[in-house]
Amino acid sequence: MPIPPTMGELIEDLLSRIEVGEFPPGSKIPSTQQLSDHYDVSVSTIHRAVATLREQGVLVGRPGRGVFVAEPRRD
């Protein structure tokens, strides 16, 4: 059984999956429970990782709908 990722590794992997288009801009990411199962980490760890990516503007939450990959900014 693989060792669960650290918080940094978890965030890096999510960013990588977004970068390669697995989760394209505007798409909904998997649920907290699905991510918890995928990475074999606690739900609270997923919440912290998602909160970090939301603070960085990578993800955006929509109450009652889920968490989505942010659309690129148009300057």
Side-chain angles (χ1 to χ4, degrees), residues 1-16:
M1 181 149 99
I3 299 170
T6 65
M7 177 67 70
E9 291 168 339
L10 173 59
I11 290 170
E12 282 181 33
D13 190 64
L14 286 170
L15 286 170
S16 173

Side-chain angles (χ1 to χ4, degrees), residues 48-62:
R48 290 195 321 264
V50 168
T52 298
L53 292 173
R54 286 177 67 176
E55 289 170 7
Q56 293 175 0
V58 175
L59 299 176
V60 61
R62 296 287 180 243

Side-chain angles (χ1 to χ4, degrees), residues 2-74:
I3 299 170
T6 65
M7 177 67 70
E9 291 168 339
L10 173 59
I11 290 170
E12 282 181 33
D13 190 64
L14 286 170
L15 286 170
S16 173
R17 293 170 77 182
I18 291 167
E19 194 173 288
V20 301
E22 186 175 340
F23 305 137
S27 69
K28 185 176 179 179
I29 65 168
S31 71
T32 302
Q33 187 60 57
Q34 289 170 318
L35 290 171
S36 173
D37 292 344
H38 176 80
Y39 289 106
D40 193 27
V41 296
S42 70
V43 169
S44 64
T45 299
I46 297 297
H47 280 296
R48 290 195 321 264
V50 168
T52 298
L53 292 173
R54 286 177 67 176
E55 289 170 7
Q56 293 175 0
V58 175
L59 299 176
V60 61
R62 296 287 180 243
R65 295 185 56 216
V67 178
F68 298 81
V69 178
E71 295 285 349
R73 287 188 165 180
R74 295 175 192 187

